[in-house]
Amino acid sequence: MKKPIYNYNLEQCNKLFKKGVHPIGIGRNDKTENIFVVFRAESKYFDMLSAVLYEELQGYTSPNC
C-alpha cells in the first residue's frame, strides 16, 4: 500500500479534485483543529500537484474554478 499524503491546503485540494485526483479520506488535526484531506502517494497525485503549482505560479485559473 502507498503512503498517505496529508494536504491541509483546501483550495489546492479542490483543484486536485477537478483534475481527477480522488481522496482516500479527510480528517481534523487534534491540536490545531485544521481540516486536511488524505491522498494516496501515487504518481497521479504528484503529477497533478505539479500542474496545480505551475498554474498557480503562472496566475492561471481554470474556467471551472
Side-chain angles (χ1 to χ4, degrees):
M1 182 168 164
K2 308 243 183 210
K3 287 187 169 187
I5 300 288
Y6 301 92
N7 191 329
Y8 284 84
N9 185 332
L10 298 182
E11 183 178 335
Q12 191 178 76
C13 291
N14 284 330
K15 291 177 183 178
L16 289 168
F17 299 154
K18 290 178 182 178
K19 292 191 177 294
V21 180
H22 302 288
I24 59 173
I26 58 170
R28 177 173 277 179
N29 185 301
D30 291 334
K31 293 181 182 177
T32 64
E33 297 188 2
N34 292 335
I35 295 173
F36 58 86
V37 180
V38 185
F39 294 96
R40 203 173 270 128
E42 54 191 11
S43 61
K44 182 173 183 174
Y45 172 81
F46 293 110
D47 291 345
M48 292 301 108
L49 180 60
S50 294
V52 166
L53 293 173
Y54 179 78
E55 290 170 0
E56 288 174 357
L57 283 173
Q58 298 300 313
Y60 174 78
T61 54
S62 172
N64 297 328
C65 289

